[in-house]
Amino acid sequence: MLRTSVLLVFLFLICSVTAQVESVAWYCPPCNSSCDDIVFEKAGHCPHCNMELLRQTAEQRAMSLQMRDMTIGFFLQDGVEVLDFAGPMEVFSYAGFNVITIARTREPIKSQGILTIVPDYSIAEAPSVDVLAFFGGGGAGRVSRDAEIIDWIKGQKDVQYHFSVCTGAFFLGEAGLLDGHQATTFHSAIDDLRRRFPKATVLSDVRYVDNGKVITTAGISAGIDGALHFVQKFAGEDAASRIAENMEYDKWRPNEGLVVKSEK
């Protein structure tokens, strides 16, 4: 009887491993063409669009296609750090997400006093988004205390994920989204985030923290790492690595941050 049980467990493990191996295939990066639906058996280039194929599981492939229908709302405030939002915007754009910009009003704002930005939407007219992202910079501390902004964040019922870079974490903290979670922020703002939001566990010396539905990153360039991790979370490491390579960003290391929960 014992031998039979051991044999059954052994066969189950073999079948499980085999199923996992068989679930991996190669696909064309989503390009809205008929080749999006083709499954390839080996690495190479798509014979239809000549794009290099991605190695993905069936679940990751489904998520890659779904990302084209997901909207990420970038909330920007006057004084926002350029690389805080521009780095992740580059990543999410390459990944196929629909990215829009939102501010308190549609009046032009200045990023670091240099770059003039005209937001796509004001908070009063912004459409529903799947991901809501916040960024640091000179105005983050003041604007994150704006009751109208915080009420707007709390009222976004269709948001599935929250994402922050640098001191953008203070927006999430004020909205209660960091309570009971681990988080990080710009190195010089760690102590202030701990003081203002004692219900959160604030970590230093980590590039990003993924709580499943809430992802916070350290400062400036760390936002690129967090965005690449977000892509990896859905579409797999191959897809994220391809984006990093295309951006010539050789700093990114898969799984370098802290993943508290891997749920999608």
Side-chain angles (χ1 to χ4, degrees):
M1 184 69 178
L2 178 59
R3 290 181 178 179
T4 302
S5 299
V6 171
L7 179 59
L8 289 173
V9 171
F10 180 69
L11 291 173
F12 174 77
L13 291 174
I14 290 178
C15 291
S16 298
V17 171
T18 302
Q20 291 175 13
V21 172
E22 290 177 348
S23 69
V24 176
W26 283 262
Y27 302 86
C28 174
C31 59
N32 293 316
S33 298
S34 58
C35 49
D36 284 353
D37 299 322
I38 301 176
V39 181
F40 297 90
E41 296 181 353
K42 60 182 180 179
H45 289 77
C46 175
H48 302 276
C49 65
N50 201 40
M51 296 182 72
E52 187 177 356
L53 301 178
L54 294 174
R55 184 177 185 272
Q56 296 180 310
T57 64
E59 180 187 10
Q60 290 168 345
R61 180 57 178 178
M63 292 306 302
S64 289
L65 296 174
Q66 182 181 331
M67 288 192 306
R68 296 178 304 180
D69 300 321
M70 294 179 68
T71 298
I72 301 183
F74 277 36
F75 179 84
L76 305 178
Q77 71 280 351
D78 200 51
V80 64
E81 174 81 26
V82 173
L83 191 56
D84 270 18
F85 75 88
M89 183 176 284
E90 185 93 357
V91 173
F92 292 139
S93 175
Y94 274 129
F97 290 102
N98 176 38
V99 181
I100 63 172
T101 56
I102 306 169
R104 180 165 188 167
T105 71
R106 292 191 65 189
E107 292 297 314
I109 60 176
K110 282 279 190 180
S111 175
Q112 291 183 262
I114 303 170
L115 177 65
T116 299
I117 303 168
V118 179
D120 295 321
Y121 301 96
S122 69
I123 59 173
E125 61 188 12
S128 297
V129 298
D130 301 287
V131 184
L132 195 53
F134 299 88
F135 309 91
R142 173 180 52 81
V143 181
S144 67
R145 290 185 171 92
D146 187 316
E148 184 179 1
I149 299 297
I150 301 307
D151 286 345
W152 172 75
I153 297 172
K154 291 179 177 179
Q156 303 308 295
K157 303 303 182 184
D158 294 327
V159 173
Q160 300 176 49
Y161 304 92
H162 290 87
F163 181 90
S164 73
V165 177
C166 197
T167 51
F170 285 80
F171 288 94
L172 303 185
E174 291 290 350
L177 294 166
L178 298 184
D179 291 355
H181 292 311
Q182 298 183 56
T184 193
T185 186
F186 187 56
H187 62 88
S188 67
I190 292 287
D191 290 340
D192 192 25
L193 194 68
R194 286 173 177 158
R195 178 183 58 79
R196 283 177 57 181
F197 308 111
K199 293 182 181 179
T201 301
V202 181
L203 307 177
S204 59
D205 300 321
V206 62
R207 294 293 281 178
Y208 60 82
V209 180
D210 180 1
N211 290 281
K213 299 296 184 181
V214 178
I215 297 175
T216 57
T217 83
I220 312 177
S221 66
I224 300 175
D225 298 73
L228 287 168
H229 167 72
F230 193 81
V231 173
Q232 179 188 9
K233 183 184 178 82
F234 289 96
E237 184 178 324
D238 197 22
S241 295
R242 193 73 53 79
I243 293 173
E245 180 181 356
N246 196 51
M247 292 173 61
E248 298 196 23
Y249 182 67
D250 58 6
K251 171 67 182 71
W252 184 62
R253 302 290 182 271
N255 307 311
E256 185 179 37
L258 173 63
V259 179
V260 181
K261 291 183 180 180
S262 58
E263 65 179 290
K264 297 184 180 67

